Amino acid sequence: MRRARALICLLLGALALAGCTIVPTASSPQVIGPKKVPFGLLGKTIPGTKNGRVRFISQPVYIVDATGHLSASSRIVPAPPVLESVLRQIIIGPTRIESFNGYTSALPANLIILSASFRSGIGYIDLASTLSKMPRSQEVLAVGQLVLTARDVGLTLGIEVRGVQIIVAGVAQNSPIPGGHEANLVTPQDFQRLLNS
């Protein structure tokens, strides 16, 4: 009986407190003056830094259009672009509008890029798993997406990308190119015929 009484009192207290709120409510949005926004959140620089700023640019990435060709699309990324973060944008896939227009990605949605960087004009893309488990035509498009996107990131950075090497678990992979061949180092020229002209 004491437990039941204590439980009922506890529930009544919880219901009474549930009706209270610390934050006052309003029926419509309230305008907050710029001087009342704390922590420098409206400043032109990043709070807590010495004039730190983030600038964004539009960076081309390649996705598969409705005709099955590779087509450039823009993504907003921090400037200067980093190959690894730009490649992650194409793994996310097409936007809702692009999907509505028939655009897709040949890259698996669960693909993990461990690292991606440029050294001496070569792009090195280290993946957690191989692309060779995909159908051959899809694998060619996926490699084309990576290579052409890497080329455009290099152009933005002022790097002439001579080729791209895909690595899985520290081992360089042979990548398929259009025409049925494979190469350890694939070039952007290998995939020009996949572009929607």
Side-chain angles (χ1 to χ4, degrees), residues 10 43 45 69 83 87 95 107 181 193:
L10 186 65
T45 61
H69 291 87
L83 180 58
L87 290 178
T95 64
L107 293 164
H181 302 292
R193 65 195 234 186

Side-chain angles (χ1 to χ4, degrees), residues 19-26 30:
C20 300
T21 181
I22 297 173
V23 179
T25 60
Q30 303 294 315

Side-chain angles (χ1 to χ4, degrees), residues 46-113:
I46 300 171
T49 66
K50 193 171 188 170
N51 295 323
R53 295 174 186 257
V54 177
R55 291 184 172 82
F56 295 93
I57 61 168
S58 178
Q59 179 65 44
V61 299
Y62 287 83
I63 56 178
V64 182
D65 66 13
T67 66
H69 291 87
L70 295 179
S71 183
S73 184
S74 292
R75 297 293 184 268
I76 304 297
V77 297
V82 176
L83 180 58
E84 188 174 336
S85 62
V86 174
L87 290 178
R88 287 194 175 121
Q89 290 293 316
I90 59 174
I91 291 174
I92 293 170
T95 64
R96 201 176 278 179
I97 293 172
E98 290 167 344
S99 294
F100 182 75
N101 288 318
Y103 286 75
T104 60
S105 176
L107 293 164
N110 62 352
L111 183 67
I112 298 172
I113 296 176

Side-chain angles (χ1 to χ4, degrees), residues 149-186:
T149 299
R151 177 202 59 193
D152 284 7
V153 172
L155 289 173
T156 302
L157 297 172
I159 300 169
E160 183 184 341
V161 178
R162 298 190 322 266
V164 171
Q165 189 174 68
I166 296 177
I167 302 164
V168 176
V171 178
Q173 304 291 302
N174 282 335
S175 298
I177 55 177
H181 302 292
E182 289 188 354
N184 191 275
L185 181 70
V186 290

Side-chain angles (χ1 to χ4, degrees), residues 3-31:
R3 281 186 163 179
R5 194 176 310 161
L7 183 61
I8 291 173
C9 288
L10 186 65
L11 287 174
L12 289 174
L15 285 172
L17 289 174
C20 300
T21 181
I22 297 173
V23 179
T25 60
S27 59
S28 63
Q30 303 294 315
V31 177

